[in-house]
Amino acid sequence: MKSKKSLNKDDMDNLERMSEGIANKTMKAAEGILLREIFLEEKYSVIFAG
């Protein structure tokens, strides 16, 4: 049976930094998708309207 190792302060800091990095990348990806959708919508609305 394995003994559970408790997380120390450094481990907690590392986990927090990693999760913040993942959250930032996720936000940037979502912003990129949103901007691309807005751009395409404007581009095609001009084509269909014109």
Side-chain angles (χ1 to χ4, degrees):
M1 197 169 164
K2 291 183 180 179
S3 62
K4 273 192 173 177
K5 180 186 164 202
S6 62
L7 295 173
N8 62 26
K9 177 94 172 79
D10 287 340
D11 290 335
M12 294 298 286
D13 289 345
N14 286 339
L15 284 171
E16 190 174 342
R17 233 187 340 270
M18 284 169 48
S19 62
E20 284 173 0
I22 292 168
N24 286 339
K25 287 178 184 172
T26 305
M27 286 293 291
K28 284 184 179 149
E31 287 171 359
I33 291 167
L34 194 59
L35 288 173
R36 194 160 46 240
E37 285 180 3
I38 291 168
F39 171 75
L40 289 174
E41 190 175 302
E42 288 179 0
K43 181 179 171 184
Y44 288 115
S45 66
V46 169
I47 292 172
F48 293 129

